[in-house]
Amino acid sequence: MMAWASRKVKTTAMLRNWLTGVLADASAWGPAAAWSLYLALGAVRGFTLVPSTTLVLVALPFFPPGPLLAATLAGIMVSSTSIYFFSAALRLDRRLAAKHQEKVARLTALLERYEMPVIIGWSFFPLVPTDVICYVCGILRVRFWKFLIGVTLGEGAICALYIYGGDQLLRWLAFK
């Protein structure tokens, strides 16, 4: 038991040291590299099912709120578009239909009846992954422009709350 705990402490210390070194190196890259990295992470984030909130919270202390919101929305739009167009290639629809047939049928019926409100609401609600609605819209071939506007409005609203609220909190706590 002690050997396992000792290895865990060493691994955690090594990870902390590595991350500290990477962050120190990254600060020397300059703002263009930092923004490029943020946009790249935002663009591929959807395929990893990492919420956009995670990137926002990490970037919040380092970037001003207006440009951060714009970069976040750009990353969300690229990520959502990728998932929408690759949804057929991922073939998750067969697995979802087999495992959750009733839920998929309910969501399909809701989307067919109330496309835009469902997409916006799903994208805004913080406890469900937006990437799932992107995938479902791609499978159902919801009109692309409608899908992208809905995701941008829903995610944009929740991200704006996180970014501007978080910025105010950091200022209030004198971290910014």
Side-chain angles (χ1 to χ4, degrees):
M1 184 70 166
M2 290 296 265
W4 176 80
S6 175
R7 276 195 308 253
K8 185 176 178 182
V9 169
K10 287 179 186 177
T11 304
T12 304
M14 286 178 16
L15 181 61
R16 185 181 308 119
N17 291 338
W18 174 78
L19 188 56
T20 302
V22 168
L23 289 175
D25 291 343
S27 65
W29 295 344
W35 283 111
S36 297
L37 178 63
Y38 184 77
L39 279 171
L41 290 173
V44 299
R45 172 207 55 76
F47 289 107
T48 62
L49 294 178
V50 171
S52 57
T53 307
T54 305
L55 285 176
V56 166
L57 295 177
V58 168
L60 197 55
F62 304 105
F63 297 120
L68 179 58
L69 180 59
T72 300
L73 288 178
I76 287 169
M77 291 170 74
V78 170
S79 176
S80 299
T81 298
S82 300
I83 292 170
Y84 178 90
F85 285 113
F86 285 116
S87 59
L90 295 174
R91 298 182 193 258
L92 292 175
D93 56 330
R94 293 181 188 153
R95 290 184 201 155
L96 286 175
K99 276 187 151 183
H100 308 285
Q101 191 172 17
E102 186 180 310
K103 291 177 184 177
V104 170
R106 246 187 328 208
L107 182 58
T108 302
L110 271 173
L111 268 174
E112 287 172 351
R113 190 161 182 201
Y114 306 105
E115 278 181 351
M116 191 65 94
V118 169
I119 296 169
I120 292 170
W122 189 293
S123 300
F124 180 80
F125 192 64
L127 300 178
V128 294
T130 301
D131 307 321
V132 172
I133 198 70
C134 298
Y135 179 76
V136 170
C137 287
I139 291 295
L140 297 178
R141 290 293 165 220
V142 170
R143 286 195 180 117
F144 176 71
W145 65 269
K146 222 177 197 183
F147 150 75
L148 195 59
I149 289 172
V151 168
T152 304
L153 287 173
E155 280 281 333
I158 193 76
C159 287
L161 288 172
Y162 291 150
I163 290 170
Y164 287 102
D167 185 66
Q168 288 303 312
L169 179 65
L170 289 175
R171 290 178 192 283
W172 183 72
L173 293 172
F175 286 123
K176 236 179 166 180

PDB file of all heavy atoms in Angstrom, residues 4 11 35 37 42 57 90 97 99 115 118 121 132 134 151 166:
ATOM      1  N   TRP A   4       2.412   2.057  -3.479  1.00  0.00           N
ATOM      2  CA  TRP A   4       1.469   2.680  -4.391  1.00  0.00           C
ATOM      3  C   TRP A   4       1.321   4.167  -4.081  1.00  0.00           C
ATOM      4  O   TRP A   4       1.323   4.996  -4.974  1.00  0.00           O
ATOM      5  CB  TRP A   4       0.117   1.977  -4.265  1.00  0.00           C
ATOM      6  CG  TRP A   4      -0.931   2.620  -5.113  1.00  0.00           C
ATOM      7  CD1 TRP A   4      -1.127   2.451  -6.435  1.00  0.00           C
ATOM      8  CD2 TRP A   4      -1.918   3.565  -4.678  1.00  0.00           C
ATOM      9  NE1 TRP A   4      -2.173   3.221  -6.865  1.00  0.00           N
ATOM     10  CE2 TRP A   4      -2.680   3.917  -5.797  1.00  0.00           C
ATOM     11  CE3 TRP A   4      -2.236   4.147  -3.453  1.00  0.00           C
ATOM     12  CZ2 TRP A   4      -3.735   4.811  -5.720  1.00  0.00           C
ATOM     13  CZ3 TRP A   4      -3.283   5.038  -3.397  1.00  0.00           C
ATOM     14  CH2 TRP A   4      -4.024   5.362  -4.521  1.00  0.00           C
ATOM     15  N   THR A  11       4.527  10.594  -9.086  1.00  0.00           N
ATOM     16  CA  THR A  11       3.901  10.872 -10.375  1.00  0.00           C
ATOM     17  C   THR A  11       3.247  12.242 -10.368  1.00  0.00           C
ATOM     18  O   THR A  11       3.373  13.010 -11.319  1.00  0.00           O
ATOM     19  CB  THR A  11       2.849   9.791 -10.702  1.00  0.00           C
ATOM     20  OG1 THR A  11       3.485   8.518 -10.670  1.00  0.00           O
ATOM     21  CG2 THR A  11       2.230  10.020 -12.057  1.00  0.00           C
ATOM     22  N   TRP A  35      -3.038  32.801 -28.295  1.00  0.00           N
ATOM     23  CA  TRP A  35      -4.350  32.833 -28.936  1.00  0.00           C
ATOM     24  C   TRP A  35      -4.490  31.685 -29.935  1.00  0.00           C
ATOM     25  O   TRP A  35      -5.555  31.055 -30.019  1.00  0.00           O
ATOM     26  CB  TRP A  35      -4.597  34.161 -29.637  1.00  0.00           C
ATOM     27  CG  TRP A  35      -4.940  35.270 -28.699  1.00  0.00           C
ATOM     28  CD1 TRP A  35      -4.176  36.348 -28.391  1.00  0.00           C
ATOM     29  CD2 TRP A  35      -6.131  35.416 -27.923  1.00  0.00           C
ATOM     30  NE1 TRP A  35      -4.817  37.141 -27.476  1.00  0.00           N
ATOM     31  CE2 TRP A  35      -6.023  36.599 -27.170  1.00  0.00           C
ATOM     32  CE3 TRP A  35      -7.277  34.644 -27.785  1.00  0.00           C
ATOM     33  CZ2 TRP A  35      -7.025  37.024 -26.313  1.00  0.00           C
ATOM     34  CZ3 TRP A  35      -8.275  35.085 -26.919  1.00  0.00           C
ATOM     35  CH2 TRP A  35      -8.137  36.262 -26.199  1.00  0.00           C
ATOM     36  N   LEU A  37      -3.005  28.760 -29.840  1.00  0.00           N
ATOM     37  CA  LEU A  37      -3.167  27.530 -29.064  1.00  0.00           C
ATOM     38  C   LEU A  37      -4.590  27.423 -28.525  1.00  0.00           C
ATOM     39  O   LEU A  37      -5.219  26.366 -28.592  1.00  0.00           O
ATOM     40  CB  LEU A  37      -2.155  27.477 -27.918  1.00  0.00           C
ATOM     41  CG  LEU A  37      -2.248  26.259 -27.000  1.00  0.00           C
ATOM     42  CD1 LEU A  37      -1.952  24.981 -27.772  1.00  0.00           C
ATOM     43  CD2 LEU A  37      -1.289  26.411 -25.825  1.00  0.00           C
ATOM     44  N   GLY A  42      -9.800  24.832 -28.810  1.00  0.00           N
ATOM     45  CA  GLY A  42     -11.247  25.005 -28.933  1.00  0.00           C
ATOM     46  C   GLY A  42     -11.813  24.274 -30.137  1.00  0.00           C
ATOM     47  O   GLY A  42     -12.921  23.747 -30.099  1.00  0.00           O
ATOM     48  N   LEU A  57     -12.410  28.523 -18.319  1.00  0.00           N
ATOM     49  CA  LEU A  57     -11.933  28.728 -16.952  1.00  0.00           C
ATOM     50  C   LEU A  57     -10.406  28.765 -16.872  1.00  0.00           C
ATOM     51  O   LEU A  57      -9.844  29.519 -16.069  1.00  0.00           O
ATOM     52  CB  LEU A  57     -12.497  27.654 -16.023  1.00  0.00           C
ATOM     53  CG  LEU A  57     -14.013  27.689 -15.831  1.00  0.00           C
ATOM     54  CD1 LEU A  57     -14.475  26.535 -14.958  1.00  0.00           C
ATOM     55  CD2 LEU A  57     -14.466  29.023 -15.257  1.00  0.00           C
ATOM     56  N   LEU A  90     -18.568   8.846 -37.849  1.00  0.00           N
ATOM     57  CA  LEU A  90     -18.327   8.311 -36.509  1.00  0.00           C
ATOM     58  C   LEU A  90     -19.206   7.106 -36.194  1.00  0.00           C
ATOM     59  O   LEU A  90     -18.880   6.311 -35.319  1.00  0.00           O
ATOM     60  CB  LEU A  90     -18.549   9.403 -35.453  1.00  0.00           C
ATOM     61  CG  LEU A  90     -17.573  10.570 -35.513  1.00  0.00           C
ATOM     62  CD1 LEU A  90     -17.987  11.645 -34.517  1.00  0.00           C
ATOM     63  CD2 LEU A  90     -16.156  10.115 -35.239  1.00  0.00           C
ATOM     64  N   ALA A  97     -28.713   4.189 -30.966  1.00  0.00           N
ATOM     65  CA  ALA A  97     -30.040   3.660 -31.251  1.00  0.00           C
ATOM     66  C   ALA A  97     -30.244   2.307 -30.577  1.00  0.00           C
ATOM     67  O   ALA A  97     -31.343   1.997 -30.099  1.00  0.00           O
ATOM     68  CB  ALA A  97     -30.252   3.545 -32.748  1.00  0.00           C
ATOM     69  N   LYS A  99     -28.655   1.170 -27.774  1.00  0.00           N
ATOM     70  CA  LYS A  99     -28.628   1.286 -26.314  1.00  0.00           C
ATOM     71  C   LYS A  99     -29.757   2.143 -25.754  1.00  0.00           C
ATOM     72  O   LYS A  99     -30.293   1.874 -24.691  1.00  0.00           O
ATOM     73  CB  LYS A  99     -27.296   1.877 -25.855  1.00  0.00           C
ATOM     74  CG  LYS A  99     -26.198   0.887 -25.708  1.00  0.00           C
ATOM     75  CD  LYS A  99     -25.007   1.576 -25.092  1.00  0.00           C
ATOM     76  CE  LYS A  99     -24.191   0.601 -24.296  1.00  0.00           C
ATOM     77  NZ  LYS A  99     -23.063   1.224 -23.630  1.00  0.00           N
ATOM     78  N   GLU A 115     -36.903  22.599 -33.637  1.00  0.00           N
ATOM     79  CA  GLU A 115     -35.458  22.556 -33.895  1.00  0.00           C
ATOM     80  C   GLU A 115     -34.672  23.624 -33.132  1.00  0.00           C
ATOM     81  O   GLU A 115     -33.817  23.308 -32.310  1.00  0.00           O
ATOM     82  CB  GLU A 115     -35.172  22.713 -35.398  1.00  0.00           C
ATOM     83  CG  GLU A 115     -35.313  21.467 -36.185  1.00  0.00           C
ATOM     84  CD  GLU A 115     -35.001  21.669 -37.648  1.00  0.00           C
ATOM     85  OE1 GLU A 115     -34.828  22.815 -38.114  1.00  0.00           O
ATOM     86  OE2 GLU A 115     -34.929  20.657 -38.356  1.00  0.00           O
ATOM     87  N   VAL A 118     -34.771  23.771 -29.172  1.00  0.00           N
ATOM     88  CA  VAL A 118     -34.094  22.619 -28.579  1.00  0.00           C
ATOM     89  C   VAL A 118     -32.581  22.785 -28.695  1.00  0.00           C
ATOM     90  O   VAL A 118     -31.842  22.548 -27.735  1.00  0.00           O
ATOM     91  CB  VAL A 118     -34.557  21.294 -29.238  1.00  0.00           C
ATOM     92  CG1 VAL A 118     -33.663  20.135 -28.822  1.00  0.00           C
ATOM     93  CG2 VAL A 118     -36.012  21.004 -28.875  1.00  0.00           C
ATOM     94  N   GLY A 121     -31.487  25.659 -26.322  1.00  0.00           N
ATOM     95  CA  GLY A 121     -31.619  25.240 -24.923  1.00  0.00           C
ATOM     96  C   GLY A 121     -30.590  24.195 -24.538  1.00  0.00           C
ATOM     97  O   GLY A 121     -29.967  24.274 -23.474  1.00  0.00           O
ATOM     98  N   VAL A 132     -23.179  16.406 -28.113  1.00  0.00           N
ATOM     99  CA  VAL A 132     -24.204  15.402 -28.423  1.00  0.00           C
ATOM    100  C   VAL A 132     -25.253  15.992 -29.356  1.00  0.00           C
ATOM    101  O   VAL A 132     -25.652  15.354 -30.333  1.00  0.00           O
ATOM    102  CB  VAL A 132     -24.850  14.851 -27.134  1.00  0.00           C
ATOM    103  CG1 VAL A 132     -26.047  13.963 -27.449  1.00  0.00           C
ATOM    104  CG2 VAL A 132     -23.824  14.089 -26.325  1.00  0.00           C
ATOM    105  N   CYS A 134     -24.802  18.421 -31.406  1.00  0.00           N
ATOM    106  CA  CYS A 134     -24.124  18.614 -32.696  1.00  0.00           C
ATOM    107  C   CYS A 134     -24.151  17.317 -33.496  1.00  0.00           C
ATOM    108  O   CYS A 134     -24.435  17.310 -34.693  1.00  0.00           O
ATOM    109  CB  CYS A 134     -22.674  19.042 -32.489  1.00  0.00           C
ATOM    110  SG  CYS A 134     -22.474  20.609 -31.646  1.00  0.00           S
ATOM    111  N   VAL A 151     -26.489  26.637 -31.878  1.00  0.00           N
ATOM    112  CA  VAL A 151     -25.374  26.299 -30.995  1.00  0.00           C
ATOM    113  C   VAL A 151     -24.619  27.559 -30.582  1.00  0.00           C
ATOM    114  O   VAL A 151     -24.251  27.725 -29.416  1.00  0.00           O
ATOM    115  CB  VAL A 151     -24.416  25.286 -31.675  1.00  0.00           C
ATOM    116  CG1 VAL A 151     -23.118  25.141 -30.899  1.00  0.00           C
ATOM    117  CG2 VAL A 151     -25.089  23.935 -31.803  1.00  0.00           C
ATOM    118  N   GLY A 166     -16.903  35.523 -14.463  1.00  0.00           N
ATOM    119  CA  GLY A 166     -15.607  35.102 -13.936  1.00  0.00           C
ATOM    120  C   GLY A 166     -14.603  36.236 -13.902  1.00  0.00           C
ATOM    121  O   GLY A 166     -13.819  36.362 -12.952  1.00  0.00           O
TER     122      GLY A 166
END
